[in-house]
């Protein structure tokens, strides 16, 4: 029925909670194991999600984060079903709920309507998590991400243009993987230059590590040394801290 009962020691003490809305993933990035472990994406029913949110709020939760491997694809598997924009509007009406977040977004599925909802709904926090993963087009293609650096840059510009009028200093976070299979030094340099150009508020950094069973692990050569991965990781870390 969607009710979620918190442990007794967390009731009226837990302020923030996560609510999964999309399970699994159908995008299949070459480095990711999620589609093999959790299956194709499945959107939860709106009524089930709302019931869970109401149950959490009744137990003292003030902020919820709607979760999905690609949260923007909520409802794509439900014929004539609501999308993430519609879901945000519905959850926004839950009495007692003060703040709403959602993650993680994908550059291909971030719509103007979703950004408009972020601007229009007071409870939705002006924070967007949209991973780039790499700043080189060939590396992005090898990762099977489905967009180019230029398209990603255009999206970040659009987010800032669309939201900064309502929320000066809208927060944008990204993810970057360094040392992906075949990544050359000049390709990493393009990632470094992109991060320097975009000046993201948060950058979640990771050194590439092959996951057993993924396309990258089965078909690509792991030819970036651990030393090189650490050097690239530290370079981005230092850049982000400036």
């Amino acid at each position: 029925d969607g009710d979620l009962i918190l442990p007794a020691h967390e009731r009226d003490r837990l302020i923030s909670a996560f609510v999964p809305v999309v399970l699994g993933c159908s995008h299949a990035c070459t480095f990711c194991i999620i589609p093999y472990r959790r299956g194709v994406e499945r959107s939860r029913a709106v009524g089930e999600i709302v019931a869970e949110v109401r149950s959490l709020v009744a137990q003292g939760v003030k902020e919820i984060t709607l979760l999905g491997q690609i949260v923007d694809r909520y409802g794509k598997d439900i014929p004539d079903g609501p999308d993430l924009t519609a879901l945000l509007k519905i959850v926004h009406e839950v009495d007692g709920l003060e703040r709403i977040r959602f993650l993680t977004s994908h550059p291909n599925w971030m719509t103007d309507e979703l950004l408009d909802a972020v601007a229009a709904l007071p409870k939705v926090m002006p924070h967007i998590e949209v991973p780039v993963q790499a700043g080189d087009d060939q590396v992005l293609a090898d990762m099977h991400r489905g967009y180019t650096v230029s398209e990603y840059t255009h999206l970040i510009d659009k987010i800032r243009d669309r939201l900064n009028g309502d929320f000066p200093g809208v927060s944008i976070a990204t993810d970057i993987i360094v040392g992906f299979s075949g990544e050359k030094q000049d390709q990493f340099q393009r990632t470094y230059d992109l991060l320097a150009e975009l000046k993201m508020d948060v950058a979640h950094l990771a050194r590439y590590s092959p996951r057993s069973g993924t396309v990258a692990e089965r078909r690509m050569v792991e030819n970036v040394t651990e030393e090189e991965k650490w050097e690239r990781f530290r370079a981005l870390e230092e850049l982000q801290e400036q």
Side-chain angles (χ1 to χ4, degrees):
D1 57 8
D3 286 352
L4 179 64
I5 307 302
L6 295 172
H9 68 278
E10 290 186 347
R11 292 172 208 159
D12 297 317
R13 295 184 181 181
L14 188 67
I15 300 300
S16 179
F18 296 104
V19 176
V21 299
V22 182
L23 310 176
C25 184
S26 298
H27 187 78
C29 296
T30 57
F31 57 79
C32 186
I33 197 64
I34 295 296
Y36 306 98
R37 294 277 176 84
R38 301 180 187 173
V40 298
E41 66 185 13
R42 288 105 53 213
S43 300
R44 295 176 66 194
V46 172
E48 183 179 315
I49 294 168
V50 172
E52 184 169 324
V53 171
R54 285 178 175 153
S55 175
L56 289 166
V57 170
Q59 297 172 80
V61 169
K62 302 298 183 185
E63 174 182 295
I64 60 100
T65 300
L66 305 178
L67 292 178
Q69 194 69 20
I70 301 180
V71 71
D72 321 68
R73 283 189 54 81
Y74 176 78
K76 300 297 183 184
D77 58 322
I78 303 175
D80 301 318
D83 58 9
L84 181 61
T85 300
L87 179 63
L88 285 174
K89 293 176 180 178
I90 293 169
V91 173
H92 191 271
E93 297 304 309
V94 173
D95 290 336
L97 181 63
E98 296 181 6
R99 295 179 298 278
I100 304 170
R101 301 178 186 273
F102 59 92
L103 59 91
T104 300
S105 293
H106 188 286
N108 287 2
W109 299 99
M110 175 70 64
T111 65
D112 292 347
E113 291 76 17
L114 181 58
L115 294 177
D116 288 343
V118 174
L121 301 173
K123 294 180 183 179
V124 179
M125 296 295 96
H127 175 75
I128 306 293
E129 296 217 10
V130 57
V132 64
Q133 302 298 8
D136 177 83
D137 285 342
Q138 184 57 57
V139 175
L140 289 173
D142 291 343
M143 291 177 168
H144 193 230
R145 289 295 291 170
Y147 52 84
T148 64
V149 173
S150 176
E151 289 168 338
Y152 183 86
T153 301
H154 175 73
L155 173 62
I156 298 304
D157 289 342
K158 181 167 67 173
I159 292 171
R160 286 173 171 156
D161 289 344
R162 213 170 186 95
L163 296 184
N164 266 336
D166 299 280
F167 308 104
V170 58
S171 173
I172 307 177
T174 194
D175 296 355
I176 294 176
I177 297 172
V178 299
F180 185 67
S181 297
E183 182 187 67
K184 300 179 177 65
Q185 181 60 35
D186 63 321
Q187 293 174 317
F188 165 73
Q189 185 62 48
R190 283 189 273 276
T191 297
Y192 183 97
D193 293 342
L194 179 67
L195 187 59
E197 174 191 347
L198 293 180
K199 295 179 171 59
M200 307 297 271
D201 298 283
V202 178
H204 304 291
L205 308 176
R207 291 170 291 113
Y208 174 65
S209 177
R211 295 292 187 268
S212 179
T214 61
V215 172
E217 187 268 340
R218 288 184 282 113
R219 301 181 184 177
M220 298 180 182
V221 178
E222 167 67 351
N223 58 357
V224 182
T225 68
E226 285 301 313
E227 182 180 1
E228 289 172 317
K229 290 177 185 178
W230 271 113
E231 288 176 354
R232 296 173 188 182
F233 179 92
R234 292 188 185 107
L236 292 186
E237 191 174 49
E238 291 173 4
L239 172 64
Q240 189 63 19
E241 290 175 352
Q242 291 177 7

